[in-house]
Amino acid sequence: MSIVHACALSHQLISFSGADKLSYLHGQITQDINKLTNNNYLWAGHCSAKGKLWGVFKLFSHQDHYYLIGSKAEVECSLAELKKYAVFAKVDINVAPQRLIGLISDDFTELLTQLNIEFAAQDTACDFSHGKALKLTGNRLLLMVDEQFNLPDNVVTLENDMLWQQAAILAGEPQLNEQAIGEYVPQMVNLQAIDGISFKKGCYAGQETVARMKYLGKNKRAMYIVSGQSDGLLTELDLERQLGENWRRAGKLISQSFNEQTKTLTGLVVLPNDTDVTQVLRAKHTPSVELNILPLPYSLEDE
């Protein structure tokens, strides 16, 4: 029997309710919300008018509400921007009170039975008695649960969500830390590669910039996964690459996680999209920390 690890997630939820919730949210994010059903979740970006990301979110529905899941920094920024224009629509936008729990395992069969969660063949989301379950990858589930929910005794609870964050990074899932907010166009963090951008949906904030990146080939950057040995998380996020005998600025980590058992730092960084993936990067302010570029689990090639 495979062990299931669980952790309380540091992510937060934004909820949308009211008669205009669909039309309002549709006009704010990069995703076509009409593709959303009760049995799937979608990736979506929320941009400024200039097309720079306030946040990258998982979007799903539950009991007549829409929800966005993002990091604390992303939620705080996007919530403020979303509320600016909500006064003109019949929509209520709030930080939701439900808890978020991350589950990691090679086999969820027994746990799903215990919790009475059943995903149909192609579904990535489903309701259950205490909330909503999202199937992110084969080895990760995300639960949104109410106050009455308790995990079974055979689940191993982790002290923090660093292992979960590491798995998300290795899956190439974009997430913005505080310094990265407002800095990148969606394609620079590979949002198109995980079907987080609709190029046919019509107008939304920042659409002109996002479309220009696709159709005029203006985007010259992409997000990469990096990993290496370290003594902990980096407090200074700048990375360098070697050019001859000198080191030059490469980019900044937009997300990072540290595995205390293996002393491994894993992160996401935006680099030129023609970067030589065999080169080694180093932390500018901690040069002893060298980071290798790992393969992305998806293609960046346009269809």
Side-chain angles (χ1 to χ4, degrees):
M1 181 182 68
S2 294
I3 298 174
V4 178
H5 291 92
C7 57
L9 297 181
S10 55
H11 289 62
Q12 294 184 349
L13 283 161
I14 303 176
S15 69
F16 299 80
S17 60
D20 295 338
K21 65 180 184 297
L22 190 155
S23 58
Y24 181 75
L25 185 56
H26 188 77
Q28 298 294 316
I29 60 175
T30 60
Q31 183 59 261
D32 183 352
I33 201 170
N34 293 298
K35 295 180 179 179
L36 187 67
T37 72
N38 196 51
N39 300 317
N40 70 349
Y41 79 91
L42 302 170
W43 286 96
H46 178 217
C47 301
S48 68
K50 294 182 179 180
K52 299 295 182 68
L53 282 165
W54 299 129
V56 180
F57 300 96
K58 301 174 191 70
L59 164 70
F60 67 96
S61 64
H62 181 63
Q63 294 184 348
D64 203 36
H65 286 65
Y66 294 131
Y67 291 93
L68 296 176
I69 299 176
S71 69
K72 184 175 183 292
E74 291 170 314
V75 165
E76 287 180 353
C77 182
S78 275
L79 185 66
E81 296 298 325
L82 288 164
K83 283 194 168 187
K84 282 183 180 179
Y85 307 103
V87 294
F88 303 110
K90 295 178 181 178
V91 60
D92 292 316
I93 308 173
N94 298 286
V95 174
Q98 291 95 326
R99 292 181 293 152
L100 294 172
I101 297 174
L103 301 171
I104 304 174
S105 179
D106 293 329
D107 187 356
F108 289 110
T109 304
E110 181 179 351
L111 179 66
L112 293 179
T113 300
Q114 289 175 308
L115 298 179
N116 197 26
I117 295 174
E118 185 174 354
F119 291 96
Q122 302 301 317
D123 289 353
T124 56
C126 72
D127 295 329
F128 71 111
S129 58
H130 289 283
K132 193 83 176 189
L134 306 183
K135 184 193 296 181
L136 303 188
T137 56
N139 67 342
R140 283 185 302 134
L141 298 178
L142 192 157
L143 305 182
M144 179 188 75
V145 297
D146 57 28
E147 293 181 355
Q148 288 74 43
F149 177 78
N150 290 299
L151 286 165
D153 293 337
N154 58 332
V155 173
V156 177
T157 302
L158 302 173
E159 293 182 358
N160 57 53
D161 65 351
M162 282 298 175
L163 187 62
W164 172 274
Q165 296 282 26
Q166 181 186 47
I169 290 170
L170 292 173
E173 297 177 1
Q175 179 178 297
L176 306 182
N177 55 31
E178 189 172 352
Q179 294 186 35
I181 287 174
E183 294 294 322
Y184 302 105
V185 172
Q187 289 98 320
M188 294 179 183
V189 299
N190 307 352
L191 193 57
Q192 80 288 353
I194 54 174
D195 298 321
I197 305 174
S198 170
F199 294 99
K200 301 177 180 179
K201 61 171 282 185
C203 294
Y204 59 88
Q207 181 198 23
E208 183 178 348
T209 299
V210 177
R212 188 183 304 123
M213 288 287 182
K214 176 177 175 62
Y215 296 113
L216 299 181
K218 297 290 186 181
N219 181 40
K220 302 301 180 185
R221 292 198 276 177
M223 186 183 75
Y224 293 85
I225 304 166
V226 294
S227 183
Q229 297 300 115
S230 177
D231 291 327
L233 293 172
L234 297 179
T235 55
E236 300 287 343
L237 305 180
D238 298 275
L239 301 184
E240 296 180 318
R241 59 191 178 98
Q242 191 168 17
L243 287 177
E245 297 181 356
N246 300 312
W247 290 83
R248 294 287 184 267
R249 183 183 186 278
K252 282 188 175 184
L253 290 174
I254 65 171
S255 180
Q256 61 174 327
S257 179
F258 179 68
N259 188 316
E260 294 182 354
Q261 293 183 337
T262 62
K263 300 297 181 183
T264 303
L265 177 77
T266 310
L268 298 172
V269 59
V270 175
L271 302 170
N273 56 15
D274 60 353
T275 293
D276 178 2
V277 296
T278 65
Q279 69 178 320
V280 176
L281 307 177
R282 75 176 188 184
K284 178 179 180 180
H285 300 281
T286 316
S288 61
V289 176
E290 295 187 342
L291 301 171
N292 295 298
I293 299 174
L294 303 183
L296 289 165
Y298 45 70
S299 173
L300 295 180
E301 298 296 326
D302 282 337
E303 295 181 356

